[in-house]
Amino acid sequence: MAILLPQQIFSLAAGEGKSYYENLAGGINAAVTVNNTSASPVELVLTRVDAPVITYTIPAFNSLTLAVRSLLVAALLHPGAGTANGTIQVATSDF
């Protein structure tokens, strides 16, 4: 069964990071979609069970959707200058 969690709007200042999904009960399979609507890149940071932390850079005015096994934490980080804006949505599943 899949559960589509509410879409969350993000606005991150330079050097700011924030967690948008956490499952500390052992991880869950999920799909994560990030829409970057700002003029600067944002980084999606994924922490999984017994796996290295993965970071994806989403360029300005782009989006990314990933299917992830055993997701523990999905967070966003804005390493650039100015403000990064957009949306993030997580769908959990038994896939």
Side-chain angles (χ1 to χ4, degrees):
M1 179 170 86
I3 299 173
L4 182 62
L5 301 173
Q7 182 174 320
Q8 299 177 66
I9 297 171
F10 67 85
S11 181
L12 300 172
E16 184 177 18
K18 183 176 178 189
S19 172
Y20 288 88
Y21 177 80
E22 295 179 7
N23 178 330
L24 303 180
I28 192 163
N29 298 330
V32 180
T33 300
V34 177
N35 293 306
N36 182 6
T37 58
S38 63
S40 57
V42 67
E43 293 182 351
L44 172 62
V45 181
L46 301 173
T47 304
R48 301 170 298 145
V49 175
D50 296 328
V53 174
I54 301 174
T55 302
Y56 292 91
T57 299
I58 299 123
F61 305 111
N62 277 284
S63 63
L64 176 69
T65 299
L66 295 169
V68 183
R69 291 201 181 272
S70 303
L71 179 67
L72 292 171
V73 177
L76 293 173
L77 176 64
H78 177 48
T83 303
N85 301 299
T87 61
I88 181 170
Q89 189 163 31
V90 177
T92 62
S93 175
D94 294 332
F95 63 83

